[in-house]
Amino acid sequence: QLAQISTVGGIDKLNTTLQGLSSSMAASQSMQSASIIGRSVYATGSLLTLSDGKATGGLDLKQDADRVFVQVSDASGALVRTLDLGPAKTGMSSFLWDGKTDAGGTAPAGTYVFQVTAAKNNASIPVEPLTMGKVGGISLNGNTTNLNLEGGGDIGMSAVKRIL
């Protein structure tokens, strides 16, 4: 019985030590994250921020594509612009929207949503949309560090695909 009590006490001490290590790792990650404040990142997401007549987004193709299209919609879901990006290679790439609408006008500054479709021959290809934003700050949520994008909300560090 004494051996069992001793084992339980050891497990309690081990749990306390692991919780301390977890907290230290979270603090270390937040300090490292602070070094990317002011830098731009590509992260999983489909938001475009149109500012000064331009917006940049990205995509991650799982294989080469013959055709890639980006459809930009406003907050109400109305289609604003369709961009034909042409063929693209496997991997990450970016695109620039000049703020023009399909109707020939200019879209107002703000946040838009985009969808990416890609195909090779007549087969659809998996593609991941990537939002691009400048890191304005970081916030801590428990043991999770989030990046605060200027005009683009918060994203978790695990969503970041590229730091510029």
Side-chain angles (χ1 to χ4, degrees):
Q1 288 180 344
L2 288 175
Q4 287 176 340
I5 292 171
S6 176
T7 301
V8 169
I11 290 172
D12 284 342
K13 287 180 184 178
L14 181 62
N15 283 338
T16 301
T17 301
L18 286 176
Q19 287 174 348
L21 285 172
S22 177
S23 296
S24 293
M25 287 180 65
S28 176
Q29 183 181 25
S30 66
M31 292 302 292
Q32 290 174 350
S33 300
S35 69
I36 63 173
I37 292 174
R39 298 183 68 183
S40 295
V41 297
Y42 281 101
T44 303
S46 56
L47 293 179
L48 283 175
T49 302
L50 182 63
S51 176
D52 297 325
K54 63 182 176 180
T56 303
L59 54 111
D60 189 3
L61 280 171
K62 305 310 176 197
Q63 63 186 41
D64 290 354
D66 295 337
R67 301 174 308 282
V68 178
F69 293 95
V70 175
Q71 293 182 310
V72 180
S73 302
D74 63 16
S76 69
L79 182 63
V80 175
R81 177 78 171 170
T82 300
L83 303 171
D84 182 352
L85 303 182
K89 297 285 185 190
T90 302
M92 291 178 54
S93 59
S94 63
F95 65 88
L96 180 66
W97 174 41
D98 61 5
K100 301 294 182 199
T101 67
D102 284 339
T106 302
T111 303
Y112 294 81
V113 177
F114 71 97
Q115 275 187 299
V116 183
T117 55
K120 184 168 188 172
N121 300 321
N122 289 327
S124 188
I125 295 175
V127 58
E128 181 179 29
L130 301 174
T131 191
M132 189 239 193
K134 187 174 181 181
V135 178
I138 60 169
S139 58
L140 304 175
N141 184 7
N143 285 339
T144 304
T145 301
N146 291 323
L147 302 178
N148 313 120
L149 300 183
E150 294 176 358
D154 293 349
I155 58 167
M157 282 295 294
S158 61
V160 173
K161 301 290 183 176
R162 182 178 286 166
I163 301 170
L164 305 174

